[in-house]
Amino acid sequence: MWLIGAHVSIAGEISQSFDRAKALNCTTFQIFTRNPRGWASKKLEENEIANFHRKLDETGLFPVAHMPYLPNLASPNKEIYDKSIKILSEELTKCYRLKIPYLVTHLGSHMGTSEEDGVRRVAEACNIAIKDSEGKVALLLENTAGQKNSVGHTLNHLRKCLDLIDDQSRVGVCFDTCHGFAAGYDIRTRNAVERFLKDFDDIIGIERLKVIHLNDSKGDLNSHLDRHEHIGRGKIGLNGFKALLSFKEVQKLPLIIETPYDSEKDYLQDILTLWSIARGQI
Ligand code: ZN
Ligand code: MN
Ligand code: MN
C-alpha cells in the first residue's frame, strides 16, 4: 500500500484535514497543528481530538505534522531559542494526543554564527523538548536547500545533529527533494538516485529516513534556492521522480507533496501524477 499525499489545511477544525486529504486521493497527509506564521496557538479541545481519532480510524490515512515556521532551534538569541524549545515540546505532546507518529522540523538558522554551533544548539533543543514532552512521537529533521545561514543542508550535518540526540528512538530524517536538489544532491536519473541513496545509507543510515517531501525544484542543482515546483515541471523533472519511486526503500515511506498551491487542479494533478508513477502507468 503506497502512502502518497499532500500538505493540507486544518481550517475550520483540525479533523477536516482528513476530508481534504481524501478529496485529493491521498493515503497520507501533512498538517500544521497551529498557525504556521504566528507564535500563539489555541489549545486543542477534547472533542477536536476525539473527531481526529474517529477519522483516523475510519479512513486509515497516515497523518504527519510539521512545525510552524517562526521557531528557530538554531538561534543564538536566548529568548527566541527558549521559546522555540517550548513550542517544539508542545507540538510533540500535541502529536502524541492526536496519535500523529511524526513531527517534521527544520533545523533553523544559525544567524551567522556557524553551522557547527547551529547543529549543537538544534540537538540540545531537541533533547530538552523530547524530555519535556509526553509520548513517543518521533522528531524528523528536514534537510534544507542551503540558503544563507540555514542549518542542515548536507547529509553530514544531519548526521552530526542526530548523533547528539540522547534518545535515538525519537529522531529520524525527512528528506525534501527540492531542498536536497538545490543543495547539490542530484536525483534526476536512476543512477543518480542510486548514488544518493547509497550516500544516505553510508552517512546517516537508510532506516532513519522516515518521510519524503516530494517537491520539484524551480532552482537548478546546487542553486541553494528553496523554490518548490509542481511534480515534473521543475529542474528535477518527471524522470527524477520516476527514478526515486522505483526504489523499494522509498516505496514504503509516506511521500508528501508541498508543491505551490496555485489551484486545486494543479495540486490534484501532482497527486495523480504520483499515483500514475506508483502504478507503473507512466
Ligand atoms: Zn519543512
Ligand atoms: Mn519540505
Ligand atoms: Mn521549502
Side-chain angles (χ1 to χ4, degrees):
M1 177 58 173
W2 286 71
L3 295 174
I4 289 176
H7 185 103
V8 297
S9 155
I10 61 162
E13 194 199 287
I14 192 160
S15 73
Q16 285 177 251
S17 52
F18 283 95
D19 308 300
R20 295 190 176 100
K22 277 212 83 124
L24 287 166
N25 295 299
C26 297
T27 47
T28 182
F29 64 95
Q30 177 177 276
I31 52 171
F32 294 117
T33 71
R34 61 204 280 159
N35 173 8
R37 297 181 200 285
W39 285 102
S41 85
K42 70 174 188 37
K43 187 173 160 296
L44 277 179
E45 302 295 335
E46 286 307 317
N47 70 312
E48 289 179 284
I49 296 174
N51 286 341
F52 197 89
H53 289 170
R54 180 173 50 78
K55 287 189 188 173
L56 183 62
D57 281 347
E58 280 171 8
T59 64
L61 298 189
F62 189 104
V64 173
H66 194 296
M67 272 284 280
Y69 292 127
L70 290 184
N72 179 4
L73 304 174
S75 177
N77 174 312
K78 175 106 171 78
E79 196 188 326
I80 302 279
Y81 186 64
D82 289 348
K83 237 162 51 166
S84 302
I85 294 174
K86 184 167 166 284
I87 291 191
L88 182 60
S89 170
E90 281 172 11
E91 289 297 295
L92 282 167
T93 299
K94 206 186 273 180
C95 287
Y96 163 67
R97 295 210 176 125
L98 290 167
K99 300 186 184 168
I100 298 174
Y102 297 139
L103 174 64
V104 176
T105 185
H106 297 182
L107 282 70
S109 166
H110 61 66
M111 310 292 284
T113 52
S114 75
E115 178 102 22
E116 284 67 30
D117 285 346
V119 162
R120 218 172 308 122
R121 282 192 292 268
V122 173
E124 187 54 24
C126 293
N127 282 330
I128 298 169
I130 286 170
K131 243 176 251 136
D132 288 351
S133 64
E134 293 172 41
K136 285 271 161 207
V137 173
L139 186 56
L140 307 186
L141 308 180
E142 179 174 351
N143 64 309
T144 59
Q147 320 88 293
K148 190 165 187 278
N149 295 343
S150 79
V151 179
H153 66 287
T154 70
L155 297 178
N156 281 307
H157 284 127
L158 291 174
R159 163 69 197 266
K160 261 192 205 137
C161 191
L162 288 166
D163 280 350
L164 295 170
I165 306 289
D166 299 329
D167 185 349
Q168 288 294 313
S169 74
R170 300 289 303 277
V171 280
V173 172
C174 168
F175 183 76
D176 185 305
T177 55
C178 167
H179 300 174
F181 184 72
Y185 296 101
D186 192 1
I187 47 168
R188 288 173 293 192
T189 63
R190 204 167 190 287
N191 280 343
V193 172
E194 190 167 19
R195 224 174 300 129
F196 168 70
L197 290 174
K198 166 119 182 26
D199 277 353
F200 193 101
D201 193 34
D202 288 345
I203 297 168
I204 294 180
I206 201 73
E207 72 288 347
R208 283 161 133 176
L209 178 59
K210 303 295 188 193
V211 169
I212 297 183
H213 283 165
L214 289 178
N215 301 309
D216 211 329
S217 171
K218 281 199 167 83
D220 272 314
L221 183 67
N222 237 328
S223 63
H224 299 289
L225 273 181
D226 182 5
R227 299 274 307 282
H228 301 190
E229 180 54 285
H230 293 288
I231 303 296
R233 288 195 241 162
K235 298 289 163 87
I236 296 173
L238 194 59
N239 278 333
F241 291 95
K242 282 169 71 174
L244 187 63
L245 269 56
S246 72
F247 286 85
K248 63 175 191 320
E249 303 92 315
V250 170
Q251 291 171 0
K252 60 182 184 197
L253 300 176
L255 307 170
I256 298 174
I257 62 162
E258 301 170 314
T259 51
Y261 196 81
D262 307 327
S263 75
E264 179 106 13
K265 207 174 113 262
D266 281 347
Y267 215 48
L268 183 60
Q269 184 57 52
D270 286 334
I271 294 290
L272 294 178
T273 300
L274 293 175
W275 278 116
S276 299
I277 295 175
R279 293 178 177 134
Q281 292 160 342
I282 54 171

